[in-house]
Amino acid sequence: REPTPVKPAPGTVTIKEVRGYVVGSKAAEEKAGGLADCHAQSEDHWITGARRPIATPISVYTKYKTNRKSWGIDAIGTMIVEIELSN
């Protein structure tokens, strides 16, 4: 069966539109200093673990010990969500 539509009370502020934005490429994001993704940094940045081995549960595996990017910590990147309200 179909769910019953929700009808807000008159004068209630509602969501009019939701828009999402992403950075064009990982290279552009890294060049801009990471933007909202603190892990989108150049390979020599400390947060990626490039200067020393990292300590995480997955770092017991040699393949993932060298830096955080080796296991996808920067896979998603920066995303901006804009929510436009009815007011």
Side-chain angles (χ1 to χ4, degrees):
R1 73 181 189 142
E2 290 291 317
T4 305
V6 175
K7 299 201 185 245
T12 301
V13 176
T14 58
I15 295 174
K16 182 176 177 182
E17 192 169 344
V18 177
R19 293 179 282 277
Y21 306 93
V22 294
V23 176
S25 71
K26 277 291 186 191
E29 189 170 38
E30 287 181 7
K31 185 177 179 184
L35 303 172
D37 181 4
C38 65
H39 298 103
Q41 302 295 334
S42 63
E43 291 298 321
D44 64 340
H45 194 275
W46 70 269
I47 202 159
T48 64
R51 296 187 183 171
R52 61 183 58 91
I54 60 170
T56 67
I58 200 166
S59 65
V60 298
Y61 302 101
T62 304
K63 178 180 176 181
Y64 304 110
K65 192 172 196 155
T66 57
N67 68 49
R68 289 178 174 92
K69 288 184 176 185
S70 67
W71 49 273
I73 198 161
D74 67 333
I76 296 175
T78 297
M79 179 188 299
I80 299 168
V81 178
E82 178 181 19
I83 300 173
E84 183 178 346
L85 302 178
S86 62
N87 62 349

